Amino acid sequence: MTGRNRLPVGKFLDDLPKAVYVVTHVLFLGIGVWLWARARGNDLPYSEALLLYSISQIVFFGYFANLITMKMAVLAEQTLMIVMVLWIILQAA
């Protein structure tokens, strides 16, 4: 089998309806908000940084609404995640 005949890993995911991804990101958003609220309620340090995770999930709704590309959604999400990690680590140091 040559490289031209191989499917990329996860290619089957392209066949799933967009609604599956919307529901998944709604769940991720809910979990992110719940974790932030729980961390904030328990006065855990850096709880505000968790909001960046929730915002990263909202970015994907722009893709689902055909306002941005998937590459832009992933780039924004990854940027927010690195900012979150930097926020936590640099404040802890």
Side-chain angles (χ1 to χ4, degrees):
M1 181 187 282
T2 66
R4 285 180 256 188
N5 294 332
R6 293 185 198 165
L7 291 177
V9 174
K11 181 70 175 156
F12 69 95
L13 295 171
D14 292 341
D15 297 330
L16 295 175
K18 199 179 264 192
V20 170
Y21 296 100
V22 171
V23 169
T24 301
H25 284 278
V26 167
L27 290 172
F28 291 160
L29 174 60
I31 290 168
V33 170
W34 173 71
L35 289 171
W36 164 76
R38 187 169 173 138
R40 189 171 186 213
N42 289 309
D43 293 324
L44 295 178
Y46 327 118
S47 61
E48 301 303 314
L50 290 172
L51 283 175
L52 294 176
Y53 175 78
S54 298
I55 293 168
S56 78
Q57 296 309 302
I58 293 170
V59 168
F60 281 101
F61 297 128
Y63 168 72
F64 301 134
N66 296 316
L67 299 174
I68 60 176
T69 65
M70 177 56 88
K71 287 182 181 181
M72 185 65 214
V74 170
L75 178 63
E77 184 259 348
Q78 289 296 297
T79 300
L80 287 165
M81 292 302 87
I82 196 65
V83 169
M84 181 183 77
V85 170
L86 285 169
W87 182 349
I88 292 168
I89 298 303
L90 293 177
Q91 283 190 347

